[in-house]
Amino acid sequence: MSATILVVEDEPGIQEVLKFNLGQHGHDVIVAGDAEEALTLLRGALPDLILLDWMLPGMTGIDFARRVRADARQKNIPIIMLTARSDERDKVQGLDTGADDYITKPFSPRELMSRIKAVLRRRAPQMTEDTVEIDGLKLDPLSHRVHGKIEDKSTALDLGPTEFRLLHFLMTHPERVYSRSQLLDQVWGDHVFVEERTVDVHIRRLRSALEVTGHDRLIQTVRGSGYRLSAIQG
Ligand code: CA
């Protein structure tokens, strides 16, 4: 799993430790020394997760988290708060503000990595490497393979890279309708400017790749709304 992580932390020592450890685990790291700088960075491409220090010069971590949660474009970014305090009241306040988790300094890199993994698994399952299986259709992010099963016979399906990402997203968010623009944000990235009909093109390619084992039936068009992956027909 490789994520883009925005670290908002003013202490250079901790910045370095985080940059090193996150980098070792394959993550891309962007560092902001204070909340104002982080807000500026968020106007560009959005990160997959924010590691946020509680005590920052200027705007506090809590106020920054509130701003993020109040912004339509940024509100779904998972936030893990880093805090030197272990006071129970502060933790509750942090979670109330919309942080997904918190970790108390000093923390072990191993603990931090497992918290990041857990938060991403919950909030962005398409970022993890867990195999997903729905109705005989199996996708393995590690080997980048998709298999469909018909009458106990497993058949490898051939998908292009975009169709693979699209299928991975839909399989990790089944039974929910996504509009074309939501799919563009989630699968193509929120700062990529492509036309909405591009989604239709890739949905068509995805369906035809899945036709071999009849799993194209899972990709449903919801008129006037968008697309949904569902094992339930109709
Ligand atoms: Ca600090």
Side-chain angles (χ1 to χ4, degrees):
M1 172 171 48
S2 162
T4 302
I5 298 178
L6 171 61
V7 170
V8 192
E9 166 66 65
D10 58 311
E11 285 162 64
I14 298 177
Q15 284 181 2
E16 284 311 309
V17 169
L18 289 172
K19 240 202 284 196
F20 176 77
N21 283 291
L22 295 167
Q24 287 250 307
H25 283 79
H27 299 302
D28 290 321
V29 183
I30 308 160
V31 178
D34 57 44
E36 286 77 8
E37 190 186 346
L39 287 172
T40 306
L41 287 169
L42 287 178
R43 278 182 219 127
L46 295 180
D48 300 306
L49 184 136
I50 299 172
L51 274 182
L52 176 61
D53 186 26
W54 177 295
M55 298 293 281
L56 291 166
M59 189 191 297
T60 65
I62 289 286
D63 287 335
F64 172 79
R66 276 203 193 100
R67 290 273 292 265
V68 170
R69 286 296 178 253
D71 182 281
R73 190 173 148 258
Q74 301 165 4
K75 67 178 179 198
N76 291 321
I77 308 170
I79 297 175
I80 298 179
M81 295 215 60
L82 303 171
T83 168
R85 314 171 177 200
S86 49
D87 190 280
E88 201 55 39
R89 203 186 58 223
D90 291 344
K91 285 175 183 169
V92 170
Q93 197 192 346
L95 294 175
D96 275 355
T97 311
D100 293 272
D101 201 356
Y102 61 87
I103 187 162
T104 308
K105 292 182 203 170
F107 47 81
S108 76
R110 183 196 288 258
E111 187 189 0
L112 178 65
M113 294 311 147
S114 80
R115 296 290 187 95
I116 289 176
K117 208 168 177 180
V119 166
L120 286 176
R121 181 166 284 145
R122 197 166 72 232
R123 295 286 306 273
Q126 75 279 9
M127 304 241 8
T128 70
E129 286 158 349
D130 300 342
T131 297
V132 265
E133 184 164 7
I134 293 175
D135 209 16
L137 182 66
K138 192 168 165 183
L139 181 145
D140 179 1
L142 269 182
S143 64
H144 242 256
R145 286 207 166 98
V146 180
H147 282 87
K149 210 188 240 177
I150 17 166
E151 288 158 9
D152 284 343
K153 195 174 170 289
S154 181
T155 308
L157 301 171
D158 191 20
L159 269 69
T162 305
E163 288 72 38
F164 185 90
R165 285 205 312 276
L166 183 57
L167 181 62
H168 193 194
F169 177 77
L170 290 170
M171 286 183 79
T172 47
H173 299 81
E175 309 300 338
R176 268 183 265 174
V177 181
Y178 288 93
S179 68
R180 289 165 179 80
S181 80
Q182 285 172 323
L183 288 172
L184 281 177
D185 281 355
Q186 296 289 342
V187 179
W188 278 260
D190 75 298
H191 241 57
V192 180
F193 297 98
V194 280
E195 291 181 64
E196 293 197 355
R197 64 165 184 229
T198 305
V199 175
D200 302 324
V201 172
H202 288 279
I203 286 279
R204 209 175 309 138
R205 285 187 198 155
L206 175 60
R207 278 183 175 139
S208 86
L210 300 179
E211 244 170 41
V212 186
T213 52
H215 285 99
D216 52 312
R217 69 174 184 274
L218 298 180
I219 314 293
Q220 302 174 355
T221 303
V222 182
R223 274 179 61 189
S225 301
Y227 297 102
R228 162 181 67 205
L229 186 141
S230 172
I232 305 154
Q233 297 303 299

